[in-house]
mmCIF file of all heavy atoms in Angstrom:
data_model
loop_
_atom_site.group_PDB
_atom_site.id
_atom_site.type_symbol
_atom_site.label_atom_id
_atom_site.label_comp_id
_atom_site.label_asym_id
_atom_site.label_seq_id
_atom_site.Cartn_x
_atom_site.Cartn_y
_atom_site.Cartn_z
ATOM 1 N N LEU B 1 -65.518 65.994 94.696
ATOM 2 C CA LEU B 1 -66.880 66.528 94.334
ATOM 3 C C LEU B 1 -66.795 67.065 92.968
ATOM 4 O O LEU B 1 -67.712 66.876 92.125
ATOM 5 C CB LEU B 1 -67.318 67.572 95.217
ATOM 6 C CG LEU B 1 -67.628 67.197 96.757
ATOM 7 C CD1 LEU B 1 -67.995 68.314 97.579
ATOM 8 C CD2 LEU B 1 -68.789 66.185 96.690
ATOM 9 N N ILE B 2 -65.751 67.913 92.548
ATOM 10 C CA ILE B 2 -65.630 68.422 91.269
ATOM 11 C C ILE B 2 -65.481 67.276 90.149
ATOM 12 O O ILE B 2 -66.187 67.269 89.194
ATOM 13 C CB ILE B 2 -64.336 69.387 91.171
ATOM 14 C CG1 ILE B 2 -64.675 70.552 92.119
ATOM 15 C CG2 ILE B 2 -64.162 69.796 89.747
ATOM 16 C CD1 ILE B 2 -63.476 71.322 92.345
ATOM 17 N N PHE B 3 -64.802 66.316 90.513
ATOM 18 C CA PHE B 3 -64.469 65.294 89.437
ATOM 19 C C PHE B 3 -65.692 64.381 89.318
ATOM 20 O O PHE B 3 -65.966 64.039 88.116
ATOM 21 C CB PHE B 3 -63.282 64.328 89.893
ATOM 22 C CG PHE B 3 -61.969 64.858 89.170
ATOM 23 C CD1 PHE B 3 -61.173 65.733 89.891
ATOM 24 C CD2 PHE B 3 -61.544 64.194 88.056
ATOM 25 C CE1 PHE B 3 -59.963 66.108 89.426
ATOM 26 C CE2 PHE B 3 -60.261 64.665 87.512
ATOM 27 C CZ PHE B 3 -59.557 65.556 88.190
ATOM 28 N N GLY B 4 -66.429 64.167 90.296
ATOM 29 C CA GLY B 4 -67.561 63.354 90.273
ATOM 30 C C GLY B 4 -68.698 64.096 89.211
ATOM 31 O O GLY B 4 -69.366 63.487 88.548
ATOM 32 N N ALA B 5 -68.806 65.462 89.655
ATOM 33 C CA ALA B 5 -69.670 66.171 88.764
ATOM 34 C C ALA B 5 -69.374 66.213 87.223
ATOM 35 O O ALA B 5 -70.210 66.062 86.421
ATOM 36 C CB ALA B 5 -69.820 67.693 89.206
ATOM 37 N N VAL B 6 -67.929 66.345 87.036
ATOM 38 C CA VAL B 6 -67.551 66.397 85.640
ATOM 39 C C VAL B 6 -67.781 65.065 84.948
ATOM 40 O O VAL B 6 -68.331 65.010 83.781
ATOM 41 C CB VAL B 6 -66.039 66.674 85.564
ATOM 42 C CG1 VAL B 6 -65.559 66.384 84.144
ATOM 43 C CG2 VAL B 6 -65.758 68.065 86.004
ATOM 44 N N TYR B 7 -67.637 63.943 85.574
ATOM 45 C CA TYR B 7 -67.814 62.630 85.082
ATOM 46 C C TYR B 7 -69.377 62.353 84.855
ATOM 47 O O TYR B 7 -69.879 61.727 83.845
ATOM 48 C CB TYR B 7 -67.218 61.540 85.943
ATOM 49 C CG TYR B 7 -65.853 61.517 85.853
ATOM 50 C CD1 TYR B 7 -64.974 60.823 86.886
ATOM 51 C CD2 TYR B 7 -65.055 62.229 84.996
ATOM 52 C CE1 TYR B 7 -63.679 60.716 86.847
ATOM 53 C CE2 TYR B 7 -63.627 62.201 85.026
ATOM 54 C CZ TYR B 7 -62.947 61.344 85.957
ATOM 55 O OH TYR B 7 -61.589 61.349 85.948
ATOM 56 N N ALA B 8 -70.194 62.845 85.792
ATOM 57 C CA ALA B 8 -71.598 62.702 85.639
ATOM 58 C C ALA B 8 -72.163 63.382 84.441
ATOM 59 O O ALA B 8 -72.904 62.657 83.599
ATOM 60 C CB ALA B 8 -72.445 63.111 86.955
ATOM 61 N N PHE B 9 -71.663 64.527 84.195
ATOM 62 C CA PHE B 9 -72.282 65.371 82.998
ATOM 63 C C PHE B 9 -71.416 65.114 81.761
ATOM 64 O O PHE B 9 -71.911 65.450 80.680
ATOM 65 C CB PHE B 9 -72.438 66.737 83.357
ATOM 66 C CG PHE B 9 -73.367 66.965 84.562
ATOM 67 C CD1 PHE B 9 -73.011 67.194 85.737
ATOM 68 C CD2 PHE B 9 -74.716 66.898 84.174
ATOM 69 C CE1 PHE B 9 -73.936 67.361 86.806
ATOM 70 C CE2 PHE B 9 -75.710 67.165 85.193
ATOM 71 C CZ PHE B 9 -75.231 67.357 86.627
ATOM 72 N N GLY B 10 -70.208 64.805 81.800
ATOM 73 C CA GLY B 10 -69.395 64.864 80.597
ATOM 74 C C GLY B 10 -68.705 63.394 80.251
ATOM 75 O O GLY B 10 -67.898 63.186 79.353
ATOM 76 N N GLY B 11 -69.141 62.367 81.038
ATOM 77 C CA GLY B 11 -68.485 61.047 80.838
ATOM 78 C C GLY B 11 -68.674 60.541 79.405
ATOM 79 O O GLY B 11 -67.739 60.033 78.803
ATOM 80 N N GLU B 12 -69.990 60.649 78.997
ATOM 81 C CA GLU B 12 -70.212 60.053 77.513
ATOM 82 C C GLU B 12 -69.448 60.808 76.531
ATOM 83 O O GLU B 12 -69.040 60.356 75.506
ATOM 84 C CB GLU B 12 -71.676 59.962 77.406
ATOM 85 C CG GLU B 12 -72.462 59.127 78.305
ATOM 86 C CD GLU B 12 -73.863 58.931 77.960
ATOM 87 O OE1 GLU B 12 -74.280 59.560 76.882
ATOM 88 O OE2 GLU B 12 -74.671 58.346 78.743
ATOM 89 N N PHE B 13 -69.309 62.067 76.676
ATOM 90 C CA PHE B 13 -68.405 63.076 75.773
ATOM 91 C C PHE B 13 -67.115 62.471 75.833
ATOM 92 O O PHE B 13 -66.409 62.311 74.649
ATOM 93 C CB PHE B 13 -68.554 64.383 76.162
ATOM 94 C CG PHE B 13 -67.660 65.232 75.400
ATOM 95 C CD1 PHE B 13 -67.902 65.716 74.122
ATOM 96 C CD2 PHE B 13 -66.371 65.664 75.928
ATOM 97 C CE1 PHE B 13 -67.155 66.403 73.281
ATOM 98 C CE2 PHE B 13 -65.546 66.510 75.218
ATOM 99 C CZ PHE B 13 -65.939 66.896 73.873
ATOM 100 N N ILE B 14 -66.431 62.114 76.880
ATOM 101 C CA ILE B 14 -65.097 61.601 76.967
ATOM 102 C C ILE B 14 -65.026 60.248 76.324
ATOM 103 O O ILE B 14 -64.099 59.947 75.539
ATOM 104 C CB ILE B 14 -64.573 61.522 78.466
ATOM 105 C CG1 ILE B 14 -64.633 62.831 79.067
ATOM 106 C CG2 ILE B 14 -63.308 60.906 78.576
ATOM 107 C CD1 ILE B 14 -64.322 62.818 80.673
ATOM 108 N N PHE B 15 -66.006 59.386 76.431
ATOM 109 C CA PHE B 15 -66.041 58.191 75.735
ATOM 110 C C PHE B 15 -65.997 58.377 74.248
ATOM 111 O O PHE B 15 -65.344 57.576 73.494
ATOM 112 C CB PHE B 15 -67.383 57.325 75.990
ATOM 113 C CG PHE B 15 -67.362 56.865 77.540
ATOM 114 C CD1 PHE B 15 -68.746 56.710 78.080
ATOM 115 C CD2 PHE B 15 -66.335 56.822 78.336
ATOM 116 C CE1 PHE B 15 -68.752 56.267 79.489
ATOM 117 C CE2 PHE B 15 -66.335 56.468 79.673
ATOM 118 C CZ PHE B 15 -67.639 56.180 80.231
ATOM 119 N N GLY B 16 -66.725 59.368 73.829
ATOM 120 C CA GLY B 16 -66.736 59.566 72.242
ATOM 121 C C GLY B 16 -65.346 59.986 71.743
ATOM 122 O O GLY B 16 -64.990 59.644 70.569
ATOM 123 N N ILE B 17 -64.549 60.684 72.575
ATOM 124 C CA ILE B 17 -63.215 61.147 72.134
ATOM 125 C C ILE B 17 -62.237 59.867 72.136
ATOM 126 O O ILE B 17 -61.419 59.767 71.281
ATOM 127 C CB ILE B 17 -62.652 62.134 73.246
ATOM 128 C CG1 ILE B 17 -63.492 63.449 73.259
ATOM 129 C CG2 ILE B 17 -61.211 62.364 72.968
ATOM 130 C CD1 ILE B 17 -62.983 64.411 74.099
ATOM 131 N N LEU B 18 -62.407 58.857 73.177
ATOM 132 C CA LEU B 18 -61.580 57.730 73.169
ATOM 133 C C LEU B 18 -61.922 56.729 72.188
ATOM 134 O O LEU B 18 -60.954 55.981 71.788
ATOM 135 C CB LEU B 18 -61.744 57.169 74.539
ATOM 136 C CG LEU B 18 -61.301 58.120 75.789
ATOM 137 C CD1 LEU B 18 -61.388 57.437 77.083
ATOM 138 C CD2 LEU B 18 -59.685 58.464 75.589
ATOM 139 N N SER B 19 -63.137 56.599 71.681
ATOM 140 C CA SER B 19 -63.408 55.466 70.708
ATOM 141 C C SER B 19 -64.572 55.840 69.858
ATOM 142 O O SER B 19 -65.501 56.656 70.343
ATOM 143 C CB SER B 19 -63.865 54.267 71.591
ATOM 144 O OG SER B 19 -64.244 53.139 70.823
ATOM 145 N N ASP B 20 -64.449 55.458 68.687
ATOM 146 C CA ASP B 20 -65.530 55.577 67.782
ATOM 147 C C ASP B 20 -66.417 54.335 67.528
ATOM 148 O O ASP B 20 -67.295 54.275 66.648
ATOM 149 C CB ASP B 20 -65.091 56.073 66.352
ATOM 150 C CG ASP B 20 -64.092 55.060 65.647
ATOM 151 O OD1 ASP B 20 -63.711 54.024 66.303
ATOM 152 O OD2 ASP B 20 -63.477 55.425 64.615
ATOM 153 N N ASP B 21 -66.190 53.306 68.357
ATOM 154 C CA ASP B 21 -67.013 52.129 68.414
ATOM 155 C C ASP B 21 -68.239 52.311 69.186
ATOM 156 O O ASP B 21 -68.280 52.550 70.489
ATOM 157 C CB ASP B 21 -66.217 50.959 69.062
ATOM 158 C CG ASP B 21 -66.837 49.506 68.811
ATOM 159 O OD1 ASP B 21 -68.181 49.528 69.047
ATOM 160 O OD2 ASP B 21 -66.148 48.638 68.522
ATOM 161 N N ALA B 22 -69.385 52.506 68.504
ATOM 162 C CA ALA B 22 -70.718 52.859 69.149
ATOM 163 C C ALA B 22 -71.056 51.887 70.291
ATOM 164 O O ALA B 22 -71.628 52.152 71.305
ATOM 165 C CB ALA B 22 -71.817 52.979 68.266
ATOM 166 N N GLU B 23 -70.855 50.503 69.946
ATOM 167 C CA GLU B 23 -71.230 49.475 70.870
ATOM 168 C C GLU B 23 -70.397 49.577 72.097
ATOM 169 O O GLU B 23 -70.975 49.495 73.248
ATOM 170 C CB GLU B 23 -70.996 48.163 70.145
ATOM 171 C CG GLU B 23 -71.552 46.934 71.112
ATOM 172 C CD GLU B 23 -71.552 45.621 70.338
ATOM 173 O OE1 GLU B 23 -71.160 45.539 69.234
ATOM 174 O OE2 GLU B 23 -71.864 44.740 70.995
ATOM 175 N N VAL B 24 -69.169 49.764 72.019
ATOM 176 C CA VAL B 24 -68.273 49.870 73.270
ATOM 177 C C VAL B 24 -68.687 51.170 74.051
ATOM 178 O O VAL B 24 -68.828 51.044 75.327
ATOM 179 C CB VAL B 24 -66.739 50.043 72.830
ATOM 180 C CG1 VAL B 24 -65.941 50.386 74.053
ATOM 181 C CG2 VAL B 24 -66.314 48.712 72.205
#
């Protein structure tokens, strides 16, 4: 439950850390 909530609200932030490719 905790991980699901973190990914729902913070997933796009994590993507920004992992890549600077806007399209990806």
Side-chain angles (χ1 to χ4, degrees):
L1 291 177
I2 294 172
F3 268 86
V6 169
Y7 290 166
F9 295 102
E12 294 188 7
F13 173 76
I14 297 173
F15 296 156
I17 295 174
L18 294 177
S19 176
D20 57 6
D21 189 315
E23 184 174 358
V24 171

